[in-house]
Amino acid sequence: MTVNNPSEPEIQISEEKLQKLGWILFGLAVFFTIIGAFVSPLDDQGKPVLLLPEVKAVEDYRKAAQSWISELNILDGEIAHIIAADQQGDLFSQSRSAQQTLQHAVELAQQVDRTRVPPIGMGMHEQMLSTTMSYLEAARSALKWVSAPEQENQDQAIQLLEDARQMKSELEKNKWLISR
């Protein structure tokens, strides 16, 4: 049992002030809830996601990897177009197209290589990097075929593109990339 010491002053707060404080706290709670609803990241079903820094880093990397696969699909089409092109046309435009494709492959490989990887994603990153490098090699081989249009060079470019496609197919099957 606690007995108040008569020499100690008592703190008295009026009921009106407590009600005002309650309304202010309620208003702040509503305000921050509304802000949270607008700035919180959402999952695929539209529900807010609470992300710890490590989880956010993994999710950001996963989304970047999915965008790189889309870029690999575009690059695949560019390389296939160069390899399938009839060498009877304008050499300058063919060479320029092949150089642009090679530059696209180089930029993509650099982007993948320079990306910060969460420790848990190292295996996935190695697979992504090797696939990207195989497309870079296929683009280089396609440029070689444009500059020296021999059947051997075309066959090599086709084979390298098929190898890159196989690696991309394996990459797309990786469960780590599947949206949650």
Side-chain angles (χ1 to χ4, degrees):
M1 182 171 174
T2 306
V3 177
N4 287 340
N5 187 349
S7 63
E8 292 181 17
E10 287 185 21
I11 299 176
Q12 294 183 353
I13 301 174
S14 71
E15 189 175 321
E16 183 181 316
K17 286 185 179 181
L18 282 175
Q19 284 180 346
K20 285 181 183 179
L21 180 63
W23 281 110
I24 289 171
L25 291 176
F26 177 74
L28 285 173
V30 169
F31 176 73
F32 285 118
T33 300
I34 292 170
I35 288 176
F38 285 111
V39 298
S40 293
L42 303 176
D43 64 7
D44 295 335
Q45 288 80 32
K47 296 179 183 176
V49 178
L50 176 63
L51 298 178
L52 300 171
E54 298 84 14
V55 175
K56 183 174 181 342
V58 170
E59 185 64 16
D60 289 347
Y61 184 80
R62 187 182 67 79
K63 287 180 180 178
Q66 289 174 334
S67 73
W68 295 330
I69 289 176
S70 296
E71 283 296 314
L72 287 174
N73 288 329
I74 294 168
L75 188 59
D76 186 284
E78 292 173 359
I79 295 169
H81 178 73
I82 291 167
I83 294 171
D86 184 14
Q87 290 295 323
Q88 305 302 322
D90 178 23
L91 182 61
F92 176 74
S93 63
Q94 290 173 355
S95 175
R96 182 177 174 159
S97 176
Q99 287 174 351
Q100 287 173 340
T101 299
L102 180 63
Q103 183 62 34
H104 184 191
V106 167
E107 289 170 0
L108 182 59
Q110 288 174 342
Q111 187 178 12
V112 170
D113 189 43
R114 293 178 181 163
T115 298
R116 185 172 175 275
V117 183
I120 196 166
M122 291 304 288
M124 169 65 197
H125 185 71
E126 289 175 9
Q127 188 180 10
M128 177 63 75
L129 190 57
S130 64
T131 302
T132 305
M133 295 307 287
S134 70
Y135 270 98
L136 177 61
E137 189 61 27
R140 188 194 64 74
S141 184
L143 179 62
K144 180 180 176 184
W145 180 68
V146 168
S147 62
E150 299 170 4
Q151 188 62 41
E152 177 183 328
N153 292 339
Q154 185 181 24
D155 292 342
Q156 182 183 17
I158 290 170
Q159 183 59 49
L160 287 171
L161 181 59
E162 286 302 317
D163 293 346
R165 285 176 174 165
Q166 181 63 34
M167 291 179 79
K168 183 174 65 76
S169 176
E170 290 298 317
L171 183 64
E172 290 171 330
K173 292 176 188 173
N174 190 321
K175 294 183 190 243
W176 205 76
L177 290 174
I178 297 172
S179 295
R180 293 180 186 111

